[in-house]
Amino acid sequence: MKLANAVGVVTLLALSLLQTGCGFKLRGEQNFAFDSIAVAAAQNGPVAQELRRVLGNRLREATPVAGPASPQVTLDVISEQREKTVVGVNAAGQVREFQLRIRVTFRLRSAEGKELIADNEILQQRDISFNESASLAKEAEEGLLYRDMQNDIVQQVLRRLAAASVVR
């Protein structure tokens, strides 16, 4: 019994050493080069709303006149599109598979109007099978897939914002 516990402890220790040796670490909070940001969206879609929620206390209202309350940078969400296309049908012509896509275009600019991140597009896509007899369940699954893609896009935008440098 003691030998089995010792082997377990040694194995656990070896695995943790291997994991730290490979450079693995949990993703922490993003460090941005700016203290305040405004999110301007042509259409107030779910990705823009989620970005506002995630940016939280850094978020400011876009003001036309520069002042102490004006944001250092503005994230323009130029477009946000959801698409659903048929990618598979059976012999009878009935739909068997869809492809879901979210396409978001954005840019980042300073308070002076200088472009920090040029127009950038992020595309996420997922395939979903379809069955008429389980249409309600498939509709719920579609909603979950869209939400998952939306969260992935928000995380990608945050990583790009963290990589951007603000010239003061």
Side-chain angles (χ1 to χ4, degrees):
M1 184 70 167
K2 288 184 180 183
L3 181 62
N5 285 341
V7 169
V9 169
V10 169
T11 303
L12 185 61
L13 183 62
L15 286 175
S16 65
L17 286 174
L18 282 172
Q19 195 172 27
T20 57
C22 75
F24 173 81
K25 72 174 189 172
L26 291 174
R27 191 178 307 150
E29 190 174 318
Q30 299 286 351
N31 294 320
F32 299 110
F34 51 85
D35 297 322
S36 60
I37 184 171
V39 177
Q43 65 225 32
N44 198 17
V47 172
Q49 289 175 356
E50 183 67 12
L51 279 165
R52 286 187 185 100
R53 188 190 69 75
V54 169
L55 289 167
N57 59 358
R58 293 180 187 275
L59 194 62
R60 302 284 184 276
E61 289 297 319
T63 56
V65 179
S70 64
Q72 288 178 313
V73 295
T74 301
L75 176 67
D76 295 314
V77 180
I78 299 164
S79 70
E80 185 176 328
Q81 299 172 328
R82 287 184 176 210
E83 302 168 4
K84 182 177 179 179
T85 57
V86 176
V87 293
V89 293
N90 65 8
Q94 296 172 322
V95 175
R96 288 294 168 217
E97 191 173 2
F98 287 107
Q99 185 174 68
L100 309 175
R101 287 188 213 117
I102 297 181
R103 186 183 313 266
V104 175
T105 306
F106 69 95
R107 74 172 157 248
L108 183 70
R109 54 189 168 86
S110 68
E112 296 80 33
K114 181 181 180 211
E115 202 168 71
L116 302 172
I117 298 177
D119 288 10
N120 213 312
E121 182 179 271
I122 297 177
L123 172 69
Q124 285 282 318
Q125 60 188 31
R126 304 280 191 277
D127 291 335
I128 182 173
S129 62
F130 183 73
N131 186 349
E132 307 85 35
S133 61
S135 62
L136 286 176
K138 288 298 179 180
E139 187 176 316
E141 182 182 0
E142 181 179 322
L144 288 172
L145 287 172
Y146 272 127
R147 198 165 319 129
D148 179 51
M149 289 187 290
Q150 168 187 312
N151 290 337
D152 284 349
I153 288 173
V154 167
Q155 291 305 314
Q156 286 185 41
V157 169
L158 290 176
R159 285 192 292 276
R160 292 175 192 191
L161 289 177
S165 60
V166 177
V167 178
R168 295 181 191 201

